[in-house]
């Protein structure tokens, strides 16, 4: 008993000693040198020296193993220009993996090397690690370079780290070389400012919980840097090909000294040569081009989250505290850069990190421009890194968590007994705490029970009943919805071939969109939420509640939904021709004629008009834009995406709400007052009308400042009588001048600053029909009739009652919650024109 009591007294001391030893082992050294492992020469028993690193043949390595179901291939030609590590490769015919023993927690760089040879060009495969799908349906045959490197930054715990190679179909997978080594301490911070698609800024935490894939690494103002002259064996490319207006920028003079590194910046963040060169404002040329900013445009993944690091080192100023300038991202976010608030001397490097949500344009613009209050009227930039942030996937193989273990290195025979205590206590603790390991999946198609859906951190789920074998769920997390629209998850799996990436047709804030075919042969679009999506349960509920009670030929129809487990899936009718914007610019789609554009705009206006007045209670869309107007196989327009919609009594003048929408389309009055009305949709639709006319985006930060915002620029041109100069050149010769005047008048009315001065959507639809008839019939009238008069005002109210009137139709619509409106409630132009002729006869 006394011995037992004595053990209890010494227990805190023992635990304290264990903790001290553990921390002393785990704390990283302040000095970092580039590690010598792991660098693997795949498919070989030969060690090769590359950039002062020894790439060990995978057949020789004792610390790296790989699945045995494989073969190696050697390039027998061994062309002299082919680097040695690309002359051999490891080939996998089935799911296989490389296994690395990780002895230190931290951030790691993982690089995969591929060589585009004829023998390997048929390979199609996935690569995954740590629960992240790193490469999907990857192939190298279309690479512009024979050598292709893919770099990732991952947080890896102590234990076994596996990289999986999974061939697709009857193909195979391969890899020529692999690098896995720890990055310097504090290489990537877990927190940064997040920039939304609308330019709003918030703090973002959790960067290190994502996998980062390097998309661009740019040495701004300098030459190409290869692994031979980079501290972490990276490649930096010159920036010239990314400049939007090359004349606005010039390379600064190369700094002759060594940069003054101050913590946390060192030569491993970026090599000297990045900070010793820069681009700066070419003031004379920028004034000639009427663009005082330098803008770089980078291709990025659409609607994805990206980690951005911008590097600065003031090698252009003649003295300290003489220079401030602005950094812009996507034209809707700006930040003043004052180097001396961060560093106290010239030629001292610093960097700023951002998390940026890209839009669906496929491009990200980064600009710098002068601050009018600065002594020096210039701006500079030294380097840019862009990495896609990848979320965890529930369809990739996962390493067995039970294989992970803590490693204790304790020297000294005196501590022998303590070692046993550590091992025994550690194993006991792990045994009690570890979770049941996830099974390794051999293919992307697993039994239904393997798919639990996406886990949403922003979603509070009620207690769910156990999923049955059919995959149904009796406890719906979405209350008061039309249960007749529920579709079992297994049906959606079958319709989309288990969400096959080949069937993915888009990606938005809510999640991925897939093309699918139901068992009855109906083609559908399936929108599935994903972790970290910008929209969640409220938008999901709103979309269902709105679309389940409306039907209109110009509104996208909801076929059904699924809310099993943690899934949030919406199933719509399939729109063959995609979005309106796909047919206007930055696309390979055929150019729309002016007649087609008028018909599309008219159809969308009718859909919005029904939404405002015909649907029960009245609905405000709140996110009208060209990507939310879809086209079917006959180019019939249908308004889509009702996740941000708000409803209310039709006589309610406004709804107080947090401002939501898309930058460039936002009603300025709504933005100022947060008072939402249907006229906010009218303003957004006015921006769409200008998009249709000019075939350019609502916001284009690469243009001169006065032209960046399409709504503002279009109204300036309209008032100056220069609107024809910004019309899409591909249709300019098609447009009847009277039709153009009427169309421009409609857009101008929609874009009035004061919401009270804007027309209703009924007026907009009427006037667009009128513009269409002016185009098709070329009715000869006095110029002032089509440019200053309101077409709908030309008819008195009693005359309108002789036809299917808007007011009479509204009354019928308000009594119906589900209605198939194929005739529309706005009188057709042919009817109106017949009455106009009668009036003229009078």
């Amino acid at each position: 008993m006394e011995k037992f009591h004595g053990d209890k007294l010494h227990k805190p001391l023992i635990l304290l000693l264990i903790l001290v030893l553990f921390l002393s082992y785990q704390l990283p050294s302040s000095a970092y040198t580039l590690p010598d492992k792991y660098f693997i020469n795949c498919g070989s028993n030969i060690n090769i020296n590359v950039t002062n690193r020894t790439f060990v043949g995978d057949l020789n390595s004792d610390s790296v193993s790989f699945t045995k179901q494989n073969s190696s291939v050697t390039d027998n030609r061994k062309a002299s220009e082919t680097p040695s590590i690309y002359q051999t490769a490891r080939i996998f015919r089935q799911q296989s993996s490389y296994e690395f023993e990780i002895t230190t927690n931290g951030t790691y760089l993982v690089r995969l090397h591929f060589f585009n040879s004829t023998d390997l060009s048929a390979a199609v495969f996935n690569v995954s690690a740590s629960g992240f799908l790193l490469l999907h349906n990857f192939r190298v045959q279309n690479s512009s370079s024979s050598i292709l490197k893919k770099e990732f930054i991952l947080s890896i715990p102590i234990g076994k780290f596996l990289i999986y190679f999974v061939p697709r179909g009857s193909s195979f997978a391969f890899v020529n070389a692999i690098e896995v080594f720890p990055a310097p301490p504090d290489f990537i911070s877990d927190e940064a400012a997040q920039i939304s698609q609308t330019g709003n800024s918030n703090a973002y935490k959790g960067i290190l919980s994502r996998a980062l894939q390097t998309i661009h690494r740019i040495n701004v103002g300098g030459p190409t840097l290869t692994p031979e002259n980079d501290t972490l064996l990276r490649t930096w490319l010159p920036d010239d090909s990314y400049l939007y207006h090359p004349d606005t920028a010039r390379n600064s003079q190369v700094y002759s000294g060594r940069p003054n590194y101050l913590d946390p910046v060192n030569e491993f963040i970026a090599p000297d040569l990045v900070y010793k060169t820069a681009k700066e404002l070419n003031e004379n040329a920028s004034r000639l081009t009427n663009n005082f900013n330098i803008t770089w445009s980078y291709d990025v993944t659409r609607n994805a989250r990206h980690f951005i690091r911008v590097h600065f080192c003031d090698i252009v100023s003649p003295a300290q505290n003489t220079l401030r300038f602005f950094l812009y991202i996507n034209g809707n976010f700006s930040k003043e850069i004052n180097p001396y608030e961060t560093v106290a001397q010239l030629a001292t490097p610093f960097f700023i990190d951002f998390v940026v949500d890209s839009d669906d344009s496929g491009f990200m613009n980064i600009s710098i421009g002068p601050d009018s209050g600065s002594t020096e009227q210039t701006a500079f930039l030294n380097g840019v890194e862009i990495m896609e942030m990848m979320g965890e996937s529930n369809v990739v193989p996962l390493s067995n968590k039970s294989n992970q273990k803590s490693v204790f290195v304790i020297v000294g025979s005196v501590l022998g007994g303590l070692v046993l205590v550590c091992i025994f206590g550690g194993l006991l603790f792990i045994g009690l705490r570890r979770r049941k390991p996830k099974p390794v999946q051999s293919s992307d198609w697993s039994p239904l029970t393997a798919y639990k859906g996406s886990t949403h951190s922003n979603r509070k789920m009620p207690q769910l009943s156990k999923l049955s074998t059919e995959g149904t769920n009796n406890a719906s997390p979405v209350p008061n919805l039309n249960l007749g629209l529920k579709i079992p998850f297994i049906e959606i799996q079958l319709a989309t071939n288990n969400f096959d990436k080949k069937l993915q047709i888009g990606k938005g804030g809510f999640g991925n969109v897939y093309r699918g075919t139901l068992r009855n042969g109906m083609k559908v679009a399936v929108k599935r939420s994903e972790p970290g999506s910008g929209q969640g349960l409220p938008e999901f509920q709103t979309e269902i509640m709105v679309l389940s009670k409306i039907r209109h030929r110009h509104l996208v129809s909801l076929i059904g939904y699924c809310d099993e487990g943690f899934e949030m899936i919406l199933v719509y009718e399939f729109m063959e021709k995609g979005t309106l914007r796909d047919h206007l610019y930055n696309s390979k789609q055929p150019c729309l004629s002016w007649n087609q554009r008028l018909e599309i705009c008219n159809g969308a206006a009718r859909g919005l008009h029904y939404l405002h007045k015909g649907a029960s209670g009245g609905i405000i869309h709140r996110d009208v834009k060209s990507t939310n107007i879809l086209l079917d196989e006959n180019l019939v327009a249908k308004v889509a995406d009702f996740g941000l919609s708000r409803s209310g009594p039709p006589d309610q003048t406004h709804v107080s709400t947090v401002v939501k929408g898309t930058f460039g389309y936002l009603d300025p009055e709504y933005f100022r007052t947060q008072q939402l009305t249907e006229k906010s949709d009218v303003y957004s639709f006015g921006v769409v009308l200008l998009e249709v006319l000019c075939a350019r985006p609502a916001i284009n930060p690469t243009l001169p400042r006065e032209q960046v915002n399409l709504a503002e620029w279009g109204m300036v041109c309209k008032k100056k009588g220069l609107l024809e100069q910004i019309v899409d050149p591909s249709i300019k010769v098609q447009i009847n001048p009277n039709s153009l005047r009427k169309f421009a008048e409609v857009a101008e009315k929609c874009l009035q600053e004061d919401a009270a001065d804007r027309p209703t959507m009924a007026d907009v639809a009427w006037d667009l029909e009128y513009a269409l008839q002016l185009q098709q019939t070329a009715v000869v009238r006095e110029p002032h009739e089509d440019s200053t008069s309101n077409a709908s005002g030309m008819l008195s109210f009693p005359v309108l009652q002789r036809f299917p009137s808007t007011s009479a139709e509204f009354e019928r619509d308000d009594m119906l919650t589900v209605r198939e409106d194929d005739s529309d409630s706005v009188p057709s132009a042919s009817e109106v024109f017949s009455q106009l002729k009668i009036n003229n006869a009078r």
Side-chain angles (χ1 to χ4, degrees):
M1 292 294 293
E2 290 179 358
K3 183 178 181 181
F4 178 76
H5 183 67
D7 288 342
K8 289 180 65 177
L9 289 176
H10 288 85
K11 188 175 182 181
L13 182 60
I14 294 174
L15 291 176
L16 179 61
L17 184 55
I18 293 173
L19 179 63
V20 170
L21 290 168
F22 178 76
L23 291 177
S24 66
Y25 177 78
Q26 292 296 317
L27 286 175
S29 172
S30 58
Y32 173 85
T33 56
L34 186 64
D36 57 4
K37 67 176 185 180
Y38 295 101
F39 297 88
I40 306 301
N41 181 22
C42 300
S44 176
N45 60 357
I46 299 175
N47 298 347
I48 297 174
N49 185 275
V50 181
T51 60
N52 297 320
R53 297 291 102 184
T54 299
F55 279 73
V56 178
D58 58 7
L59 293 173
N60 296 344
S61 177
D62 296 328
S63 55
V64 175
S65 60
F66 52 87
T67 309
K68 299 304 180 184
Q69 295 86 357
N70 63 78
S71 60
S72 61
V73 62
T74 302
D75 183 1
N76 294 322
R77 295 167 297 178
K78 293 188 177 180
S80 58
E81 64 272 13
T82 303
S84 299
I85 62 169
Y86 297 109
Q87 294 179 6
T88 62
R90 180 69 55 192
I91 293 180
F92 303 102
R93 301 284 176 183
Q94 60 186 16
Q95 178 179 302
S96 306
S97 63
Y98 272 89
E99 182 180 296
F100 301 84
E101 191 68 35
I102 302 298
T103 59
T104 306
N105 291 322
T107 303
Y108 282 72
L109 281 85
V110 177
R111 295 194 186 105
L112 307 175
H113 297 248
F114 305 96
F115 183 72
N116 182 12
S117 70
T118 304
D119 297 335
L120 303 176
S121 61
V124 182
F125 55 97
N126 293 348
V127 180
S128 61
S130 297
F132 298 99
L133 185 61
L134 304 181
L135 299 173
H136 180 68
N137 284 346
F138 177 71
R139 61 183 71 203
V140 297
Q141 62 191 47
N142 295 325
S143 173
S144 58
S145 171
S146 57
I147 296 174
L148 191 60
K149 300 178 187 178
K150 292 293 184 179
E151 181 188 271
F152 305 89
I153 297 177
L154 297 169
S155 293
I156 305 178
I158 292 174
K160 296 185 184 301
F161 172 64
L162 287 88
I163 302 178
Y164 289 92
F165 295 83
V166 184
R168 299 308 305 266
S170 60
S171 188
F172 60 93
F174 78 95
V175 62
N176 294 88
I178 301 176
E179 300 174 53
V180 179
F181 62 90
D186 303 320
F187 184 61
I188 299 286
S189 174
D190 193 50
E191 183 175 353
Q194 180 182 5
I195 313 303
S196 69
Q197 291 185 3
T198 59
N200 295 324
S201 176
N202 296 289
Y204 181 94
K205 294 183 179 180
I207 295 173
L208 295 179
S209 66
R210 311 286 288 271
L212 306 181
Q213 179 182 3
T214 303
I215 307 298
H216 298 287
R217 181 172 283 125
I218 307 300
N219 182 21
V220 178
T224 298
L225 301 182
T226 62
E228 286 78 7
N229 45 33
D230 178 81
T231 46
L232 291 178
L233 311 179
R234 295 164 293 196
T235 297
W236 301 71
L237 298 178
D239 66 302
D240 298 292
S241 62
Y242 300 95
L243 282 169
Y244 195 81
H245 287 294
D247 291 339
T248 62
R250 63 183 177 88
N251 290 343
S252 65
Q253 186 174 356
V254 178
Y255 183 65
S256 58
R258 188 174 188 271
N260 304 310
Y261 292 107
L262 296 176
D263 286 338
V265 184
N266 53 51
E267 65 271 20
F268 296 105
I269 296 296
D272 291 357
L273 292 173
V274 169
Y275 293 123
K276 293 170 68 171
T277 58
K279 273 282 195 307
E280 61 180 309
L281 198 68
N282 185 3
E283 295 183 15
N284 293 332
S286 64
R287 290 193 178 97
L288 290 175
T289 60
N290 199 28
N291 187 333
F292 292 87
N293 292 341
I294 306 174
T295 298
W296 295 264
S297 186
Y298 300 100
D299 55 302
V300 296
T301 304
R302 296 185 177 190
N303 296 302
R305 190 158 287 165
H306 293 80
F307 175 81
I308 310 297
R309 173 168 287 180
V310 283
H311 297 265
F312 300 97
C313 184
D314 188 358
I315 58 174
V316 303
S317 297
Q320 297 180 24
N321 298 309
T322 60
L323 175 60
R324 299 191 310 273
F325 58 94
F326 285 99
L327 170 73
Y328 303 93
I329 298 178
N330 285 336
N332 54 17
F333 171 82
S334 65
K335 178 179 177 61
E336 185 180 56
I337 305 298
N338 185 344
Y340 310 102
E341 289 183 351
T342 306
V343 294
Q345 51 188 316
L346 295 173
T348 302
F350 64 98
F351 63 85
I352 305 176
D353 293 342
F354 298 96
V355 172
V356 181
D357 296 333
S358 64
D359 59 21
D360 54 4
S361 67
F363 292 93
M364 184 176 295
N365 296 319
I366 296 177
S367 308
I368 54 174
D371 184 344
S372 59
S374 175
T375 303
E376 295 291 325
Q377 289 295 293
T378 189
F380 68 88
L381 183 64
N382 300 77
V384 173
E385 295 178 87
I386 300 179
M387 306 176 193
E388 182 181 352
M389 300 175 64
M390 312 172 76
E392 288 192 10
S393 173
N394 61 350
V395 293
V396 301
L398 295 175
S399 59
N400 192 324
K401 299 295 184 182
S402 64
N403 287 336
Q404 296 178 3
K405 57 182 180 292
S406 297
V407 178
F408 297 88
V409 180
I410 303 176
V411 181
S413 59
V414 178
L415 297 178
L418 184 58
V419 171
L420 294 176
V421 173
C422 292
I423 294 175
F424 178 78
L427 291 176
L428 179 61
F429 179 78
I430 294 173
L432 292 173
R433 296 287 294 176
R434 70 184 181 185
R435 296 179 179 179
K436 183 179 179 180
K438 297 182 180 179
V440 175
Q441 301 172 11
S442 60
S443 69
D444 283 353
W445 184 269
S446 298
L448 179 61
T449 53
Y451 290 87
K452 298 298 183 184
S454 303
T455 302
H456 297 265
S457 59
N458 62 339
R459 182 181 182 193
K460 294 182 179 180
M461 299 295 296
Q463 186 66 34
L464 300 178
S465 61
K466 186 177 180 180
L467 292 178
S468 69
T469 54
E470 291 80 22
T472 59
N473 186 349
N474 297 323
S476 170
V478 186
N480 304 320
L481 294 182
N482 185 347
L483 296 181
L485 294 176
K486 290 192 71 171
I487 300 177
F489 183 58
I490 191 170
E491 293 292 334
I492 299 175
Q493 279 186 304
L494 293 172
T496 60
N497 193 21
N498 197 37
F499 305 99
D500 190 339
K501 283 289 185 181
K502 294 179 181 178
L503 298 178
Q504 185 175 332
I505 56 176
K507 184 173 183 177
F510 183 82
N512 294 331
V513 183
Y514 301 86
R515 183 176 68 253
T517 305
L518 299 178
R519 292 198 199 192
N520 61 6
M522 176 184 289
K523 292 183 179 180
V524 293
V526 177
K527 185 159 67 172
R528 184 191 193 193
S529 69
E530 59 181 0
S533 65
Q535 301 182 35
L537 181 61
E539 289 79 8
F540 178 66
Q541 294 174 330
T542 300
E543 188 104 0
I544 298 171
M545 288 187 286
V546 168
L547 286 177
S548 64
K549 65 181 182 180
I550 59 176
R551 280 285 187 270
H552 191 279
R553 65 176 302 195
H554 292 299
L555 300 178
V556 168
S557 297
L558 180 69
I559 305 300
Y561 70 94
C562 175
D563 62 345
E564 294 175 15
F566 293 102
E567 291 288 350
M568 294 193 295
I569 300 174
L570 297 166
V571 182
Y572 307 90
E573 62 175 316
F574 182 66
M575 302 297 287
E576 189 75 37
K577 298 297 185 181
T579 72
L580 170 59
R581 200 187 75 167
D582 288 341
H583 296 264
L584 296 177
Y585 50 88
N586 295 337
S587 174
K588 297 179 181 180
Q589 298 287 349
C591 177
L592 296 171
S593 69
W594 179 238
N595 271 5
Q596 289 173 325
R597 298 186 196 200
L598 286 172
E599 289 173 349
I600 289 168
C601 290
N602 182 267
R606 289 171 179 269
L608 289 171
H609 153 62
Y610 171 73
L611 202 64
H612 290 171
K613 300 298 184 183
S616 178
I619 296 170
I620 304 170
H621 188 282
R622 205 157 53 143
D623 198 19
V624 176
K625 54 185 177 181
S626 57
T627 51
N628 283 341
I629 298 174
L630 306 183
L631 307 176
D632 70 8
E633 58 185 351
N634 298 315
L635 293 178
V636 174
K638 301 196 178 191
V639 180
D641 201 340
F642 300 89
L644 298 183
S645 298
R646 291 294 297 264
S647 60
D651 58 346
Q652 184 171 321
T653 57
H654 69 265
V655 178
S656 296
T657 175
V658 176
V659 175
K660 288 189 177 182
T662 300
F663 189 76
Y665 298 88
L666 276 176
D667 170 15
E669 185 172 272
Y670 169 39
F671 188 81
R672 288 194 309 269
T673 67
Q674 298 187 16
Q675 305 299 305
L676 178 68
T677 72
E678 64 185 39
K679 295 297 183 71
S680 298
D681 282 351
V682 174
Y683 182 92
S684 301
F685 190 72
V687 180
V688 173
L689 294 180
L690 287 184
E691 268 190 281
V692 168
L693 182 65
C694 306
R696 57 148 286 188
I699 296 293
N700 188 344
T702 63
L703 295 175
R705 292 182 182 179
E706 68 274 10
Q707 299 179 25
V708 168
N709 187 298
L710 176 59
E712 295 175 1
W713 178 237
M715 291 304 93
V716 168
C717 293
K718 172 70 167 60
K719 291 173 182 177
K720 292 182 178 181
L722 303 175
L723 191 62
E724 291 185 3
Q725 296 184 12
I726 63 172
V727 172
D728 182 2
S730 64
I731 60 166
K732 186 176 291 188
V733 297
Q734 304 174 14
I735 306 178
N736 178 278
N738 289 333
S739 177
L740 176 60
R741 279 196 296 271
K742 172 51 65 178
F743 188 88
E745 175 195 330
V746 178
E748 183 179 33
K749 289 179 180 179
C750 291
L751 295 171
Q752 290 300 303
E753 190 78 13
D754 190 340
D757 295 333
R758 299 172 202 154
T760 65
M761 286 310 303
D763 291 331
V764 172
W766 202 107
D767 287 344
L768 289 172
E769 185 82 22
Y770 186 47
L772 179 60
Q773 286 297 327
L774 287 171
Q775 176 69 22
Q776 293 176 341
T777 62
V779 175
V780 179
R781 298 192 178 279
E782 294 300 321
H784 70 275
E785 288 186 38
D786 292 322
S787 58
T788 61
S789 63
N790 186 335
S792 58
M794 296 169 66
L795 304 176
S796 64
F797 186 78
V799 172
L800 273 177
Q801 291 301 314
R802 300 183 182 183
F803 307 104
S805 70
T806 55
S807 60
E809 195 70 23
F810 292 158
E811 291 173 3
R812 290 197 297 274
D813 289 342
D814 286 338
M815 292 187 295
L816 298 175
T817 57
V818 179
R819 175 180 177 276
E820 186 68 47
D821 187 351
D822 289 323
S823 59
D824 293 319
S825 57
V826 180
S828 69
S830 59
E831 294 170 328
V832 173
F833 265 66
S834 65
Q835 184 61 40
L836 285 173
K837 293 174 183 177
I838 294 173
N839 288 342
N840 290 339
R842 293 174 183 168

